[in-house]
Amino acid sequence: MYIKNLKLNNFRNYKYFDVDFGSGFNVIYGENGQGKTNILEALFMCATGRSHRTSHDIDLINTEAESFCIDLFFFSGGADKNIRFRYNDQKQKSISVNDINIRKIGELMGNLNAVIFSPEDLMIIKQGPAQRRRFIDIALSQIKPYYFYYLQQYNKTLLQRNSLLKQIKKNRSFIETIDIWDSTLSSLGENIIKERKIFSKEICELIRENHFYISGEKEELKLLYEPSVEEGDFLKKLKQNINGDIERESTSLGPHRDDFSYFINGENLKIYGSQGQQRTAVLSS
Protein backbone atom coordinates (compact mmCIF):
# COMPACT_ATOMS: atom_id res chain seq x y z
CA MET A 1 0.00 0.00 0.00
CA TYR A 2 1.27 3.46 -0.89
CA ILE A 3 -0.16 6.92 -1.63
CA LYS A 4 0.14 8.15 -5.21
CA ASN A 5 -1.50 11.59 -5.23
CA LEU A 6 -3.20 14.10 -2.95
CA LYS A 7 -5.37 17.04 -3.98
CA LEU A 8 -6.64 19.66 -1.55
CA ASN A 9 -9.25 22.32 -2.23
CA ASN A 10 -9.76 25.03 0.39
CA PHE A 11 -8.33 22.83 3.12
CA ARG A 12 -6.63 24.78 5.93
CA ASN A 13 -4.19 27.24 4.32
CA TYR A 14 -4.43 25.62 0.88
CA LYS A 15 -6.80 27.07 -1.71
CA TYR A 16 -5.55 24.42 -4.13
CA PHE A 17 -2.78 21.88 -3.72
CA ASP A 18 -1.77 18.91 -5.87
CA VAL A 19 1.15 16.62 -5.11
CA ASP A 20 2.38 13.23 -6.33
CA PHE A 21 4.13 10.78 -4.00
CA GLY A 22 6.62 8.04 -4.75
CA SER A 23 6.15 4.42 -3.77
CA GLY A 24 9.10 4.58 -1.40
CA PHE A 25 10.12 7.01 1.33
CA ASN A 26 8.79 10.56 0.92
CA VAL A 27 10.00 13.72 2.68
CA ILE A 28 7.83 16.85 2.98
CA TYR A 29 9.90 19.92 3.75
CA GLY A 30 9.44 23.70 3.78
CA GLU A 31 9.45 26.83 5.91
CA ASN A 32 7.53 27.10 9.17
CA GLY A 33 3.83 27.85 8.71
CA GLN A 34 3.68 26.71 5.08
CA GLY A 35 1.31 23.82 5.80
CA LYS A 36 3.42 20.67 6.03
CA THR A 37 1.39 19.34 8.96
CA ASN A 38 -1.83 20.18 7.11
CA ILE A 39 -0.83 17.69 4.40
CA LEU A 40 -0.33 14.95 6.99
CA GLU A 41 -3.61 15.90 8.63
CA ALA A 42 -5.47 15.46 5.32
CA LEU A 43 -3.88 12.05 4.77
CA PHE A 44 -4.82 10.94 8.28
CA MET A 45 -8.42 12.10 7.76
CA CYS A 46 -8.70 9.87 4.70
CA ALA A 47 -7.65 6.91 6.83
CA THR A 48 -9.75 7.58 9.93
CA GLY A 49 -12.44 10.09 8.99
CA ARG A 50 -11.23 12.60 11.54
CA SER A 51 -8.47 15.11 12.24
CA HIS A 52 -5.80 14.42 14.84
CA ARG A 53 -5.78 18.11 15.80
CA THR A 54 -9.41 19.18 16.08
CA SER A 55 -12.79 17.58 16.66
CA HIS A 56 -14.54 20.30 14.63
CA ASP A 57 -14.31 19.75 10.87
CA ILE A 58 -15.49 23.30 10.24
CA ASP A 59 -12.10 24.50 11.54
CA LEU A 60 -10.48 22.87 8.49
CA ILE A 61 -12.21 25.06 5.91
CA ASN A 62 -10.01 27.77 4.40
CA THR A 63 -10.95 31.15 5.86
CA GLU A 64 -11.89 32.45 2.39
CA ALA A 65 -14.11 29.48 1.49
CA GLU A 66 -17.31 27.73 2.59
CA SER A 67 -16.24 24.12 2.09
CA PHE A 68 -13.21 21.91 1.60
CA CYS A 69 -12.44 18.80 -0.43
CA ILE A 70 -9.71 16.17 -0.11
CA ASP A 71 -9.00 13.76 -2.97
CA LEU A 72 -6.60 10.93 -2.26
CA PHE A 73 -5.35 8.35 -4.77
CA PHE A 74 -3.46 5.28 -3.55
CA PHE A 75 -2.45 1.77 -4.49
CA SER A 76 -3.54 -1.15 -2.33
CA GLY A 77 -4.27 -4.83 -2.79
CA GLY A 78 -3.01 -4.80 -6.37
CA ALA A 79 -5.36 -2.01 -7.53
CA ASP A 80 -5.61 1.78 -7.74
CA LYS A 81 -8.11 3.23 -5.26
CA ASN A 82 -9.36 6.64 -4.21
CA ILE A 83 -10.97 8.38 -1.27
CA ARG A 84 -12.81 11.70 -1.40
CA PHE A 85 -13.68 13.72 1.71
CA ARG A 86 -15.98 16.75 1.46
CA TYR A 87 -17.30 19.10 4.14
CA ASN A 88 -19.08 22.48 4.11
CA ASP A 89 -19.96 25.15 6.66
CA GLN A 90 -23.48 23.73 6.91
CA LYS A 91 -21.88 20.75 8.61
CA GLN A 92 -22.65 18.48 5.68
CA LYS A 93 -20.04 15.77 5.27
CA SER A 94 -19.65 13.23 2.49
CA ILE A 95 -17.01 10.52 2.06
CA SER A 96 -16.61 8.21 -0.91
CA VAL A 97 -14.35 5.21 -1.44
CA ASN A 98 -13.65 4.28 -5.06
CA ASP A 99 -16.36 6.79 -6.10
CA ILE A 100 -19.01 5.07 -3.95
CA ASN A 101 -20.48 7.15 -1.12
CA ILE A 102 -20.29 5.58 2.31
CA ARG A 103 -22.88 6.16 5.02
CA LYS A 104 -20.80 5.35 8.09
CA ILE A 105 -17.23 6.12 9.15
CA GLY A 106 -16.84 2.44 9.92
CA GLU A 107 -16.96 1.71 6.18
CA LEU A 108 -13.87 3.91 5.74
CA MET A 109 -11.78 2.03 8.30
CA GLY A 110 -9.26 -0.40 6.85
CA ASN A 111 -9.16 1.05 3.35
CA LEU A 112 -6.07 3.18 4.06
CA ASN A 113 -3.94 2.39 7.10
CA ALA A 114 -2.04 5.34 8.58
CA VAL A 115 -0.02 6.10 11.70
CA ILE A 116 0.82 9.69 12.58
CA PHE A 117 3.38 11.06 15.01
CA SER A 118 3.01 14.70 16.06
CA PRO A 119 3.67 16.92 19.10
CA GLU A 120 0.03 16.37 20.10
CA ASP A 121 0.78 12.67 20.55
CA LEU A 122 2.71 13.42 23.75
CA MET A 123 -0.72 13.94 25.31
CA ILE A 124 -1.16 10.17 25.03
CA ILE A 125 1.18 9.88 27.99
CA LYS A 126 0.80 13.26 29.69
CA GLN A 127 -2.98 13.49 29.83
CA GLY A 128 -5.72 11.19 31.08
CA PRO A 129 -6.95 7.75 30.00
CA ALA A 130 -9.23 9.13 27.25
CA GLN A 131 -6.22 10.07 25.12
CA ARG A 132 -4.66 6.63 25.47
CA ARG A 133 -7.96 4.85 24.73
CA ARG A 134 -8.41 6.99 21.62
CA PHE A 135 -4.90 6.10 20.41
CA ILE A 136 -5.53 2.38 20.82
CA ASP A 137 -9.06 2.56 19.40
CA ILE A 138 -7.97 4.35 16.21
CA ALA A 139 -5.20 1.82 15.59
CA LEU A 140 -7.48 -1.15 16.28
CA SER A 141 -10.32 0.22 14.14
CA GLN A 142 -8.04 0.45 11.10
CA ILE A 143 -6.84 -3.12 11.55
CA LYS A 144 -10.25 -4.56 12.46
CA PRO A 145 -13.13 -2.41 11.14
CA TYR A 146 -15.67 -4.50 13.07
CA TYR A 147 -14.04 -3.19 16.28
CA PHE A 148 -15.13 0.31 15.29
CA TYR A 149 -18.70 -1.01 15.05
CA TYR A 150 -18.41 -2.43 18.59
CA LEU A 151 -17.25 0.97 19.83
CA GLN A 152 -20.06 2.87 18.15
CA GLN A 153 -22.74 0.54 19.46
CA TYR A 154 -21.19 0.46 22.92
CA ASN A 155 -21.11 4.26 23.18
CA LYS A 156 -24.73 4.55 22.03
CA THR A 157 -25.84 1.95 24.57
CA LEU A 158 -23.79 3.64 27.29
CA LEU A 159 -25.57 6.95 26.66
CA GLN A 160 -28.95 5.22 26.83
CA ARG A 161 -28.07 3.42 30.07
CA ASN A 162 -26.82 6.64 31.67
CA SER A 163 -30.01 8.40 30.64
CA LEU A 164 -32.02 5.61 32.24
CA LEU A 165 -29.97 5.85 35.45
CA LYS A 166 -31.04 9.50 35.77
CA GLN A 167 -34.67 8.49 35.35
CA ILE A 168 -34.32 5.72 37.93
CA LYS A 169 -32.90 8.17 40.46
CA LYS A 170 -36.10 10.22 40.12
CA ASN A 171 -38.43 7.24 39.87
CA ARG A 172 -37.18 3.90 41.21
CA SER A 173 -39.83 1.93 39.26
CA PHE A 174 -37.80 2.42 36.05
CA ILE A 175 -35.15 0.04 37.43
CA GLU A 176 -37.14 -2.86 35.97
CA THR A 177 -35.95 -1.87 32.48
CA ILE A 178 -32.21 -1.72 33.29
CA ASP A 179 -31.55 -5.43 32.62
CA ILE A 180 -31.87 -5.15 28.83
CA TRP A 181 -29.34 -2.30 28.69
CA ASP A 182 -26.98 -4.14 31.05
CA SER A 183 -27.11 -7.22 28.84
CA THR A 184 -26.42 -5.27 25.62
CA LEU A 185 -23.72 -3.09 27.18
CA SER A 186 -21.89 -6.03 28.73
CA SER A 187 -22.01 -8.06 25.51
CA LEU A 188 -20.51 -5.23 23.47
CA GLY A 189 -18.07 -4.35 26.23
CA GLU A 190 -16.78 -7.91 26.49
CA ASN A 191 -15.95 -7.84 22.76
CA ILE A 192 -14.04 -4.57 23.18
CA ILE A 193 -12.12 -5.83 26.20
CA LYS A 194 -11.20 -9.03 24.38
CA GLU A 195 -9.90 -7.17 21.31
CA ARG A 196 -7.97 -4.68 23.44
CA LYS A 197 -6.31 -7.51 25.35
CA ILE A 198 -5.23 -9.26 22.18
CA PHE A 199 -3.99 -6.04 20.58
CA SER A 200 -2.11 -4.77 23.64
CA LYS A 201 -0.33 -8.11 23.97
CA GLU A 202 0.72 -8.06 20.31
CA ILE A 203 1.76 -4.42 20.20
CA CYS A 204 3.60 -4.63 23.54
CA GLU A 205 6.27 -6.85 22.01
CA LEU A 206 6.68 -4.54 18.99
CA ILE A 207 6.90 -1.49 21.24
CA ARG A 208 9.50 -3.21 23.42
CA GLU A 209 11.66 -4.07 20.41
CA ASN A 210 11.35 -0.59 18.89
CA HIS A 211 12.26 1.22 22.08
CA PHE A 212 15.08 -1.19 22.89
CA TYR A 213 16.62 -0.27 19.54
CA ILE A 214 16.02 3.50 19.88
CA SER A 215 17.47 3.61 23.40
CA GLY A 216 20.60 1.78 22.38
CA GLU A 217 19.47 -1.36 24.19
CA LYS A 218 19.45 0.50 27.54
CA GLU A 219 15.73 0.75 28.26
CA GLU A 220 12.84 -1.67 28.18
CA LEU A 221 9.42 -0.17 27.40
CA LYS A 222 6.22 -1.94 28.33
CA LEU A 223 2.59 -1.11 27.57
CA LEU A 224 0.13 -2.41 30.15
CA TYR A 225 -3.60 -2.68 29.50
CA GLU A 226 -5.61 -1.86 32.63
CA PRO A 227 -9.28 -2.76 32.12
CA SER A 228 -11.71 -1.38 34.68
CA VAL A 229 -13.42 -4.78 34.72
CA GLU A 230 -12.03 -8.19 33.86
CA GLU A 231 -13.25 -10.10 30.82
CA GLY A 232 -16.22 -12.27 31.80
CA ASP A 233 -17.18 -10.18 34.85
CA PHE A 234 -18.78 -7.14 33.19
CA LEU A 235 -22.46 -8.08 33.57
CA LYS A 236 -21.98 -9.23 37.15
CA LYS A 237 -20.16 -6.02 38.09
CA LEU A 238 -22.86 -3.87 36.47
CA LYS A 239 -25.47 -5.50 38.69
CA GLN A 240 -23.28 -5.20 41.79
CA ASN A 241 -22.67 -1.49 41.19
CA ILE A 242 -26.23 -0.55 40.24
CA ASN A 243 -26.98 1.49 43.38
CA GLY A 244 -23.77 3.48 43.06
CA ASP A 245 -24.41 4.06 39.36
CA ILE A 246 -27.92 5.33 40.10
CA GLU A 247 -26.57 7.73 42.70
CA ARG A 248 -23.86 9.00 40.30
CA GLU A 249 -26.22 8.88 37.30
CA SER A 250 -23.45 7.29 35.25
CA THR A 251 -21.91 3.89 34.54
CA SER A 252 -18.87 3.50 36.76
CA LEU A 253 -17.02 0.74 34.90
CA GLY A 254 -16.53 -0.68 31.44
CA PRO A 255 -14.27 -0.09 28.44
CA HIS A 256 -15.00 3.65 28.67
CA ARG A 257 -13.07 3.59 31.97
CA ASP A 258 -10.11 1.50 30.81
CA ASP A 259 -6.57 2.78 30.80
CA PHE A 260 -3.19 1.91 29.26
CA SER A 261 0.07 2.67 31.06
CA TYR A 262 3.63 2.91 29.80
CA PHE A 263 6.55 1.67 31.89
CA ILE A 264 10.30 2.07 31.26
CA ASN A 265 12.46 -0.34 33.22
CA GLY A 266 9.51 -0.88 35.56
CA GLU A 267 8.86 2.82 36.28
CA ASN A 268 5.60 4.54 35.27
CA LEU A 269 6.52 6.80 32.34
CA LYS A 270 3.81 9.39 33.07
CA ILE A 271 5.17 9.97 36.58
CA TYR A 272 8.90 9.36 36.26
CA GLY A 273 9.68 9.65 32.55
CA SER A 274 11.65 12.52 31.02
CA GLN A 275 10.41 14.51 28.02
CA GLY A 276 12.77 12.55 25.81
CA GLN A 277 11.60 9.21 27.14
CA GLN A 278 7.96 10.16 26.67
CA ARG A 279 8.67 11.22 23.12
CA THR A 280 10.53 8.03 22.17
CA ALA A 281 7.85 5.91 23.87
CA VAL A 282 5.15 7.44 21.68
CA LEU A 283 7.39 7.09 18.62
CA SER A 284 8.00 3.43 19.47
CA SER A 285 4.24 2.88 19.52
Side-chain angles (χ1 to χ4, degrees):
M1 176 184 292
Y2 64 92
I3 295 168
K4 300 180 71 174
N5 176 267
L6 174 70
K7 292 182 174 65
L8 304 177
N9 283 278
N10 295 316
F11 181 83
R12 291 286 194 181
N13 66 316
Y14 293 105
K15 290 185 177 180
Y16 180 75
F17 180 77
D18 186 342
V19 61
D20 292 323
F21 293 97
S23 59
F25 192 76
N26 292 267
V27 177
I28 301 172
Y29 65 93
E31 299 293 333
N32 290 338
Q34 287 193 325
K36 299 184 295 296
T37 304
N38 296 342
I39 297 172
L40 300 179
E41 183 177 28
L43 296 175
F44 190 69
M45 287 187 69
C46 289
T48 66
R50 63 192 69 187
S51 165
H52 70 288
R53 295 195 289 177
T54 178
S55 58
H56 305 290
D57 289 339
I58 198 167
D59 296 340
L60 307 175
I61 301 175
N62 186 280
T63 54
E64 298 179 9
E66 297 178 347
S67 64
F68 74 77
C69 181
I70 304 171
D71 283 296
L72 179 70
F73 302 88
F74 63 105
F75 184 83
S76 176
D80 289 329
K81 300 181 179 180
N82 64 80
I83 293 172
R84 168 169 282 195
F85 195 117
R86 289 178 175 176
Y87 185 85
N88 62 36
D89 58 5
Q90 302 302 308
K91 297 185 177 181
Q92 296 172 321
K93 178 190 296 186
S94 68
I95 303 175
S96 66
V97 178
N98 298 330
D99 301 318
I100 299 174
N101 288 333
I102 63 174
R103 294 181 298 170
K104 300 177 180 179
I105 293 294
E107 298 176 51
L108 177 64
M109 296 296 181
N111 284 283
L112 175 70
N113 295 328
V115 176
I116 191 167
F117 177 67
S118 69
E120 290 83 5
D121 287 333
L122 289 179
M123 297 300 103
I124 294 172
I125 294 175
K126 290 183 175 182
Q127 291 194 351
Q131 292 289 332
R132 291 182 285 280
R133 287 195 301 269
R134 182 177 183 271
F135 169 70
I136 296 295
D137 287 341
I138 288 176
L140 247 173
S141 295
Q142 292 186 74
I143 299 170
K144 301 178 179 180
Y146 61 81
Y147 176 83
F148 186 74
Y149 171 80
Y150 291 153
L151 278 178
Q152 285 185 313
Q153 297 304 308
Y154 178 86
N155 289 328
K156 288 179 182 178
T157 306
L158 180 65
L159 287 174
Q160 291 167 325
R161 186 180 193 269
N162 287 344
S163 177
L164 179 58
L165 290 171
K166 294 177 183 179
Q167 296 180 51
I168 295 173
K169 189 173 182 179
K170 296 176 182 177
N171 186 343
R172 194 76 182 186
S173 65
F174 285 115
I175 199 171
E176 297 176 2
T177 61
I178 196 74
D179 284 350
I180 187 171
W181 297 114
D182 285 357
S183 178
T184 303
L185 190 71
S186 62
S187 177
L188 292 165
E190 292 283 357
N191 287 328
I192 293 171
I193 294 168
K194 179 181 178 181
E195 293 297 340
R196 283 179 177 175
K197 272 190 173 181
I198 295 171
F199 181 73
S200 60
K201 184 178 180 180
E202 292 174 346
I203 197 174
C204 184
E205 182 58 27
L206 293 174
I207 288 173
R208 188 194 69 81
E209 292 176 0
N210 290 340
H211 193 83
F212 198 58
Y213 172 76
I214 292 173
S215 66
E217 302 183 357
K218 295 178 181 179
E219 296 177 340
E220 184 172 15
L221 177 66
K222 182 179 180 181
L223 176 68
L224 180 65
Y225 174 39
E226 301 171 333
S228 65
V229 59
E230 288 300 321
E231 187 180 356
D233 288 341
F234 196 5
L235 182 59
K236 180 178 71 174
K237 293 293 185 180
L238 283 175
K239 295 185 181 301
Q240 289 178 349
N241 291 357
I242 184 61
N243 290 326
D245 285 355
I246 292 171
E247 185 61 31
R248 285 183 294 268
E249 301 181 1
S250 65
T251 304
S252 57
L253 50 80
H256 62 290
R257 301 286 188 183
D258 289 353
D259 199 357
F260 298 82
S261 293
Y262 285 89
F263 293 85
I264 285 186
N265 295 339
E267 299 287 348
N268 191 304
L269 190 57
K270 181 178 181 179
I271 301 173
Y272 300 105
S274 67
Q275 288 277 349
Q277 287 175 318
Q278 292 178 356
R279 196 175 294 273
T280 54
V282 175
L283 184 59
S284 298
S285 303

